[in-house]
C-alpha cells in the first residue's frame, strides 16, 4: 500500500497548509513587488475603497485584524498618499478613506493581482486550482457549521 492510498493522512496537515500558503503568498508578493506594494497593502486599499470612509475599528473587524496591526499597516499607505486618516464626527473618532492616488494604485495593483492569479493557474493547472478551491470552500463550511453548532 502506498502512502497516498492509506486511510490516514501522513504528516502534519497544519504544516502542509502553512507551507502551501507561504508559497502562494510569495508568488503574489513577487508580482505586487513590481509596483512597490505588498499583498496586505493591496487588500487594505481594496477594503477601504469598497467600504468607503470607515472607522479604523470597523475596518479592523472587517479584515479580522487587531487594531495595532491595522494602524501599522495604514501608516505606509498614508505616507504614500494612498489613504487619508481624518477626524470623524468627534475628536476621538477617525475615518480612513482612499485618495485618488490610492484608487490609481489599487487599479494598477489589481492588474498585477490578475497576472499573479493567471500565472498561478498556469503553474498549478486549472483543474488543481479548481479542486483546491472546492476543498478550501468545503472545509471552511465545516468550520462555520461547527461554530454555529457550538454557539447554539
Amino acid at each position: 500500500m502506498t502512502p497516498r492510498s492509506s486511510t490516514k493522512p501522513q504528516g502534519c496537515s497544519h504544516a502542509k497548509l502553512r507551507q502551501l500558503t507561504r508559497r502562494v503568498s510569495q508568488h503574489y508578493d513577487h508580482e505586487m513587488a513590481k509596483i512597490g506594494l505588498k499583498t496586505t497593502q493591496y487588500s487594505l486599499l481594496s477594503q477601504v475603497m469598497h467600504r468607503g470612509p470607515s472607522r479604523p475599528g470597523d475596518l479592523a473587524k472587517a479584515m479580522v485584524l487587531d487594531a495595532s496591526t491595522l494602524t501599522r499597516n495604514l501608516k505606509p499607505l498614508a505616507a504614500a498618499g494612498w489613504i487619508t486618516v481624518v477626524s470623524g464626527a468627534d475628536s476621538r473618532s477617525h475615518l480612513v478613506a482612499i485618495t485618488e492616488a490610492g484608487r490609481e494604485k489599487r487599479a494598477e495593483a489589481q492588474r498585477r493581482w490578475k497576472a499573479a492569479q493567471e500565472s498561478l493557474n498556469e503553474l498549478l493547472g486549472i483543474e488543481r486550482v479548481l479542486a483546491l478551491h472546492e476543498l478550501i470552500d468545503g472545509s471552511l463550511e465545516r468550520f462555520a457549521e461547527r461554530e454555529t453548532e457550538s454557539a447554539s
Side-chain angles (χ1 to χ4, degrees):
M1 179 179 267
T2 66
R4 284 199 175 275
S5 63
S6 71
T7 57
K8 187 174 181 182
Q10 299 296 308
C12 174
S13 298
H14 181 259
K16 288 178 178 290
L17 284 168
R18 286 190 47 97
Q19 185 178 18
L20 178 60
T21 57
R22 277 193 303 272
R23 293 303 299 263
V24 171
S25 292
Q26 290 167 355
H27 180 83
Y28 280 82
D29 280 332
H30 175 75
E31 198 62 44
M32 289 288 110
K34 294 176 181 178
I35 59 166
L37 272 183
K38 296 178 181 178
T39 55
T40 53
Q41 293 170 323
Y42 171 62
S43 295
L44 187 49
L45 277 175
S46 295
Q47 279 289 321
V48 173
M49 189 178 98
H50 290 299
R51 295 177 60 81
S54 302
R55 296 183 321 192
D58 294 338
L59 189 56
K61 186 176 180 180
M63 295 186 71
V64 194
L65 294 172
D66 60 69
S68 63
T69 300
L70 177 67
T71 299
R72 189 172 51 252
N73 290 345
L74 288 172
K75 285 180 182 179
L77 299 180
W82 299 328
I83 60 150
T84 59
V85 182
V86 296
S87 295
D90 61 53
S91 62
R92 296 175 301 175
S93 67
H94 295 86
L95 292 175
V96 179
I98 194 166
T99 65
E100 188 55 39
R103 288 180 186 281
E104 291 170 9
K105 186 53 122 177
R106 189 200 170 271
E108 182 183 16
Q110 193 172 27
R111 290 188 293 275
R112 298 280 29 110
W113 193 269
K114 184 176 181 182
Q117 183 64 50
E118 288 172 356
S119 65
L120 185 73
N121 291 346
E122 186 178 315
L123 175 69
L124 298 181
I126 291 291
E127 292 303 318
R128 181 170 287 157
V129 172
L130 290 170
L132 186 58
H133 284 209
E134 186 177 334
L135 281 169
I136 291 168
D137 292 343
S139 298
L140 290 171
E141 285 174 17
R142 287 188 178 210
F143 276 105
E145 289 167 3
R146 187 175 81 178
E147 289 169 3
T148 301
E149 290 170 2
S150 296
S152 331

